[in-house]
Structures are given as C-alpha cells and as structure tokens.
C-alpha cells in the first residue's frame, strides 16, 4: 500500500503540483526575489508596494470619471438615450435614484442648483464619494488600509434617510424633491 502523504508520496510523484509549490517557495527564499527586476533573467516583477496600493483607488476614480464623462456628453434630459426607471414605469413611484442621471449631468456641467433639484441625495452622494475617495487615496499613499467602521445605527440611519426622502418626494407637499 502506498503512502498518500509524506516526503515520497505517490500523490506528489504523480501530480508534481505539491513539489512545484515547494520548489517555488525554496527559489524565492534562496534568490531573494521580492518583486523587483531580476537582472539575471530580464524578468520584471510585480509593481512596487505604493503603486499596487494606489492602483485600486485610481482605477475606481477612472471608472467613475468615465461614467460621469459619458453622462456629461449624452444628455439624459433628451428622451431615448437612457432607459426609464422600472419602478417609476411600473408603479408611478419615484425611487431614491430617480433623477440621478439628470443630477449627474447637471453636476458635471457645473449647474449645482439643477443637480440638487434633480436629485438632492445623489448630489450629496457625489460630495461624499469625493471625500471618501480622497481619504482612501491618502491612506493608500501612506500604506494604511481604508477602514471605515460604521456602527449598524449609521447604516440604519442612512436607510431611514433614503426611505424618508423617497416617501416625501412622492407626496404632494414634497414635489420640490421630485425630478
């Protein structure tokens, strides 16, 4: 009967995958290669720590900037460019996001008043996103993780604000909050 685990196991000899992992660990330990350029092989390693840490926040900013650039160039106030909100179409009820594209378009074109009229919550969200993103970038630059530990009461508070905003904008006296 053959051993399944151990130094000379059949599993290791047949597959080779365990030995490969062990060899890689040994090679890294012996060569000292830690992600910088290896002049002996011409191989370039992983990016440095700071570049790697900044890649995610910069990538997120690039994606958001691309989305805002698109919404800024394709006006949502003209019909046919964007789909209609499914909740509004089916029920006639404005969701908390209704008017968000018009708000983003007004925001990107510099009309803060129109952005607030289209969707005040979304406009506040743009500023909140910018503040959190700057905090994230600074902490990534310093090598510190972004940890925003909000107690459940804060999440319930955000949910309550969104619910109240949704209810009020659908009532006759809250028509100023409707897009």
């Amino acid at each position: 009967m053959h051993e399944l685990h151990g130094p000379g196991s059949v599993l290791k000899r047949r597959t080779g995958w365990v030995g490969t992992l062990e060899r890689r660990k040994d090679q890294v330990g012996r060569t000292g290669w830690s992600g910088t350029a290896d002049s002996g092989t011409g191989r370039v390693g992983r990016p440095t720590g700071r570049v790697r840490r900044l890649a995610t926040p910069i990538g997120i900013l690039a994606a958001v900037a691309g989305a805002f650039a698109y919404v800024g160039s394709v006006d949502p106030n003209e019909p046919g460019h964007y789909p209609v909100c499914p909740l509004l179409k089916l029920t006639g009820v404005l969701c908390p996001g209704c008017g968000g594209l018009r708000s983003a378009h007004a925001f990107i074109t510099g009309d803060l008043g129109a952005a607030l009229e289209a969707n005040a919550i979304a406009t506040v969200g743009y500023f909140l996103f910018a503040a959190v993103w700057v905090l994230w970038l600074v902490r990534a630059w310093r090598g510190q993780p972004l940890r925003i530990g909000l107690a459940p009461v804060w999440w319930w508070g955000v949910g309550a604000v969104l619910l109240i905003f949704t209810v009020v904008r659908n009532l006759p006296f809250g028509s100023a909050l409707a897009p």
Side-chain angles (χ1 to χ4, degrees):
M1 186 162 211
H2 297 290
E3 285 180 44
L4 292 179
H5 305 290
S9 74
V10 174
L11 180 65
K12 282 185 182 178
R13 278 187 266 138
R14 285 190 185 158
T15 63
W17 73 272
V18 174
T20 302
L21 288 175
E22 289 173 356
R23 277 194 302 271
R24 285 185 186 154
K25 286 179 186 176
D26 287 342
Q27 288 172 352
V28 169
R30 277 185 280 155
T31 62
W33 187 67
S34 61
T36 57
D38 184 10
S39 59
T41 62
R43 179 173 65 170
V44 176
R46 295 183 207 161
T48 63
R50 181 168 286 166
V51 171
R52 224 177 25 211
R53 288 190 312 262
L54 293 175
T56 303
I58 290 173
I60 295 293
L61 180 65
V64 170
F68 267 84
Y70 180 77
V71 172
S73 64
V74 180
D75 190 359
N77 294 309
E78 295 178 19
H81 292 292
Y82 298 97
V84 178
C85 173
L87 183 67
L88 180 62
K89 187 175 183 175
L90 294 174
T91 65
V93 175
L94 296 168
C95 75
C98 281
L101 287 173
R102 289 183 289 258
S103 173
H105 178 76
F107 187 81
I108 200 73
T109 56
D111 191 356
L112 190 57
L116 284 167
E117 285 178 15
N119 192 323
I121 291 285
T123 306
V124 170
Y126 307 147
F127 288 108
L128 183 63
F129 171 80
V132 170
W133 184 84
V134 168
L135 175 68
W136 187 12
L137 187 68
V138 168
R139 292 185 65 84
W141 181 265
R142 293 180 180 167
Q144 301 167 337
L146 176 67
R147 293 202 176 121
I148 301 174
L150 294 178
V153 71
W154 284 98
W155 292 112
W156 283 103
V158 168
V161 166
L162 288 174
L163 181 64
I164 291 168
F165 176 72
T166 303
V167 169
V168 170
R169 79 190 308 207
N170 285 290
L171 295 174
F173 67 85
S175 63
L177 294 175

